[in-house]
């Protein structure tokens, strides 16, 4: 029970942070056809939104370590979720400010995982580390699944503005729900540094604080390797969740509601996958070998999805649902095993900083990977080439992981 409440709170915060991040990419293709005031973004435009969001996430992730030390992990998470809510509210009222809204949402998203890792590494018994981290990380596909299931229905009743404001209020409510246990948990994670802006503020000091997490991973070979793997897999993961609705509605002529449901189903696969992969990594399969196997299945799933795009033919609904469930279970299921391994390989007391540094590289992979996917999808080659590119990249990652794992053994 000692680790249950920290796990529950960090899971909820993670889920609604992910919901905020995916709200606009999921909402755009749903409302564009029926609401004149809604932004009309192409695949490349959604990629640009994600670029700004993950630029903000990099800044948020790199600053997370110092904020956790000063405020504690839960208060840092509460503030971050409030920043994401502000970004959603801004996007609700003015479409001209979408880049700034994306930046705010990303800045709120970035600190969530490092802060939660800082809590869980202190409250979780070592034999359950992979499983607990994987359960907590189910918050990401759970949040994306919520966006797929809820946003098309919300949009039908409230439109662009009402949907985003509803989601913003939900984020604020979750942040407030963490208040009862915040003092006790933050007493374990804060170091008593004064809050606010340091008196001896200097650009050099700020840059040094931002660079410290990157320095931690640069000094450890295993952390460098894990960061490189996440660079590729994160781009694939976010591209799948961000573009799936557009792909299904544009290339396969699937209805918006069905496309949202398929997105939700793929992310429920991610929820189940993270738990199963975490359990297996704790008991049966070495983490690096598990990550290599997941990368191999991602390559096969992306290849099959690209083949559907090439033929422009939607398979039977059950076949499509099964394919996307497997794709989501792997492309959105690797993170828990990965983050547990990062925390395990981190120097003592530096799990938060190691997670911040590796996540900065993870987010950089999204910054480059998701817009690149969008550009390829928007070209004459279309989604078939975009998913084919993912298959090749994932296959390369699988080969590298199996080779690195063999050297480690």
């Amino acid at each position: 029970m000692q680790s249950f409440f920290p796990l529950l709170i960090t899971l909820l915060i993670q889920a609604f942070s992910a919901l905020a991040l995916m709200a606009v990419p999921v909402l755009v293709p749903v409302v564009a056809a029926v609401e004149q005031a809604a932004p009309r973004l192409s695949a490349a435009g959604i990629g640009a939104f994600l670029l700004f969001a993950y630029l903000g996430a990099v800044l948020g992730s790199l600053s997370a370590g110092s904020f956790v030390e000063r405020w504690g992990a839960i208060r840092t998470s509460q503030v971050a979720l409030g920043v994401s809510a502000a970004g959603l509210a801004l996007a609700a009222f003015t479409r001209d400010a979408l880049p700034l809204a994306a930046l705010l949402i990303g800045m709120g998203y970035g600190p969530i995982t490092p802060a939660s890792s800082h809590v869980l590494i202190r409250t979780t018994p070592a034999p359950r580390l992979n499983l607990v981290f994987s359960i907590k990380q189910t918050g990401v596909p759970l949040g994306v699944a919520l966006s797929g299931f809820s946003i098309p229905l919300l949009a039908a009743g409230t439109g662009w503005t009402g949907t985003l404001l509803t989601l913003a209020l939900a984020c604020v409510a979750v942040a407030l729900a963490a208040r009862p246990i915040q003092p006790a948990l933050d007493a374990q994670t804060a170091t008593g540094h004064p809050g606010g802006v340091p008196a001896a503020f200097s650009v050099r000091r700020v840059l040094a604080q931002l660079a410290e997490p990157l320095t931690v991973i640069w000094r450890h070979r295993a952390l460098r390797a894990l960061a490189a793997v996440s660079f590729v897999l994160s781009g694939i993961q976010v591209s799948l969740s961000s573009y799936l609705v557009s792909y299904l509605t544009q290339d396969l002529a699937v209805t918006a509601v069905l496309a949202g449901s398929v997105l939700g189903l793929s992310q429920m696969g991610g929820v189940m996958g993270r738990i199963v992969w975490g359990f297996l990594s704790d008991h049966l399969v070495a983490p690096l070998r598990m990550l290599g196997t997941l990368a191999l299945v991602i390559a096969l799933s992306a290849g099959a999805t690209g083949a559907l795009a090439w033929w422009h033919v939607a398979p039977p609904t059950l076949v499509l649902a099964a394919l996307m469930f497997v794709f989501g279970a792997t492309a959105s299921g690797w993170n828990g095993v990965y983050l547990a391994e990062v925390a395990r390989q981190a120097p003592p007391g530096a799990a938060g900083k190691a997670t911040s540094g590796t996540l900065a590289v993870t987010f950089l992979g999204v910054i480059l990977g998701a817009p690149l996917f969008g550009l390829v999808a928007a070209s004459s080659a279309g989604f078939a080439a975009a998913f084919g590119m993912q298959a090749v990249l994932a296959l390369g990652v699988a080969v590298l992981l199996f080779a690195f794992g063999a050297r480690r053994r």
Side-chain angles (χ1 to χ4, degrees), residues 59 61 83 95-96 148 167 178 192 195 215 219 295 310 317 329 341 408:
L59 294 175
S61 177
V83 172
R95 59 182 176 179
D96 294 330
L167 297 179
T215 303
R219 290 174 177 170
W310 181 266
T317 301
E341 188 66 12
R408 294 276 294 178

Side-chain angles (χ1 to χ4, degrees), residues 1 37 43 48 72 139 153 157 176 195-196 211 261-262 265 275 283 297 300 303 323 325 332 348 371 377 384:
M1 290 296 292
L153 299 176
L176 294 176
S261 297
V262 171
L265 181 64
I275 296 173
H283 298 282
V297 179
L300 295 173
L323 173 60
F325 184 87
S332 296

Side-chain angles (χ1 to χ4, degrees), residues 15-25 49 81 84-85 88 105 143 164 167 171:
F16 278 84
S17 180
L19 173 61
L21 187 71
M22 287 296 106
V24 169
F49 179 89
L81 203 52
S84 290
L88 289 173
I105 292 169
L164 292 179
L167 297 179
C171 289

Side-chain angles (χ1 to χ4, degrees), residues 141 149 240 244 261-274 276-277 297-298 301 305 317-333:
F149 289 129
L240 175 65
L244 183 57
S261 297
V262 171
L263 171 63
L265 181 64
S266 74
Q267 299 307 302
M268 292 310 295
V271 171
M272 296 177 63
R274 292 187 188 210
V276 173
W277 314 145
V297 179
I298 290 170
S301 301
T305 305
T317 301
L318 288 178
V319 175
L320 178 64
L323 173 60
M324 292 307 151
F325 184 87
V326 173
F327 202 170
T330 51
S332 296

